[in-house]
């Protein structure tokens, strides 16, 4: 189930809720009981390593030296 981040406009508290995507825009009360909240845009971090660059100098028109 997706998680959504919210911020309370009254107390400034930031909190997270898990809810179905169909309810992503439904109102959410903050843990302090305030109803004036706004859903925040979340960022997704993707980790990993970059692939090594392709070797050059073999094959292809410009890589093979056929362009003079």
């Amino acid at each position: 189930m997706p998680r959504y981040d919210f911020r309370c406009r009254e107390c400034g508290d930031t909190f997270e809720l898990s809810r179905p995507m169909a309810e992503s825009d439904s109102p959410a009360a903050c843990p302090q009981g305030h109803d004036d909240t706004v859903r925040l845009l979340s960022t997704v971090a993707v980790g990993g390593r970059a692939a090594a660059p392709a070797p050059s100098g073999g094959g292809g028109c410009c890589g093979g030296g056929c362009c003079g």
Side-chain angles (χ1 to χ4, degrees), residues 15-44:
F15 59 99
E16 185 178 271
L17 292 176
S18 295
R19 53 169 52 170
M21 288 195 316
E23 296 176 19
S24 64
D25 290 327
S26 298
C30 87
Q32 306 301 318
H34 305 124
D35 291 324
D36 189 12
T37 61
V38 62
R39 193 177 90 189
L40 302 175
L41 293 177
S42 299
T43 57
V44 177

Side-chain angles (χ1 to χ4, degrees), residues 55-67:
S56 60
C61 180
C62 294
C66 63
C67 300

